[in-house]
Amino acid sequence: MPDQERPPSGPSGRGDRPAVGCEACQSVIDDESDRTVSFLLLDHLTIPVRGCETHLDRFSTICGLTTEDAARVLDHYPAGGVACPACRNARYDTTHPMVAVDDGMVVVTACPDHQSQILQRFDTGLETHQQLTSSLDGDAV
């Protein structure tokens, strides 16, 4: 997110991270320990992510619109581990992208290549969702 779009930081001590409307997401984002990491399983990707359960589920549902398989979120370390060494060793900090999901945020704690892939999947999933819902609303023929 470009600097001009970020709200000014206040006395909360959050630095340059934007405020989040969902208190549960904010709590997870503020907790920098490894216990708040979940894992998005999508096709061959295992992506470490942070956010509340509701917004992680919404994020995975939207990303899941880009695949024939179901996307899943695990609240524990996956049995097969994280295949990408860079994702496995990525540590949470403020440089990771924060993705707005409704009134919450999901932080993608992965290597730059996999961050890019999952963010493209999310954008494509949003476009697909908008097309599906507009046709249901009668806007499209």
Side-chain angles (χ1 to χ4, degrees), residues 3 6 14 79 89 101 117 125:
D3 290 335
R6 290 191 177 172
R14 293 186 186 123
N89 294 321
V101 179
Q117 286 181 31

Side-chain angles (χ1 to χ4, degrees), residues 40-90:
L40 173 66
L41 306 178
L42 179 68
D43 292 337
H44 65 283
L45 300 171
T46 303
I47 305 290
V49 291
R50 292 173 180 266
C52 76
E53 182 179 348
T54 301
H55 293 108
L56 285 174
D57 286 344
R58 177 80 171 133
F59 182 77
S60 70
T61 299
I62 291 171
C63 289
L65 294 174
T66 66
T67 183
E68 292 182 18
D69 296 329
R72 295 185 352 196
V73 175
L74 301 178
D75 291 330
H76 55 83
Y77 197 79
V82 178
C84 173
C87 287
R88 185 173 45 244
N89 294 321

Side-chain angles (χ1 to χ4, degrees), residues 125-139:
L126 280 176
E127 290 173 15
T128 302
H129 181 264
Q130 289 171 350
Q131 290 173 357
L132 290 172
T133 56
S134 69
S135 64
L136 291 175
D137 293 337
D139 294 338

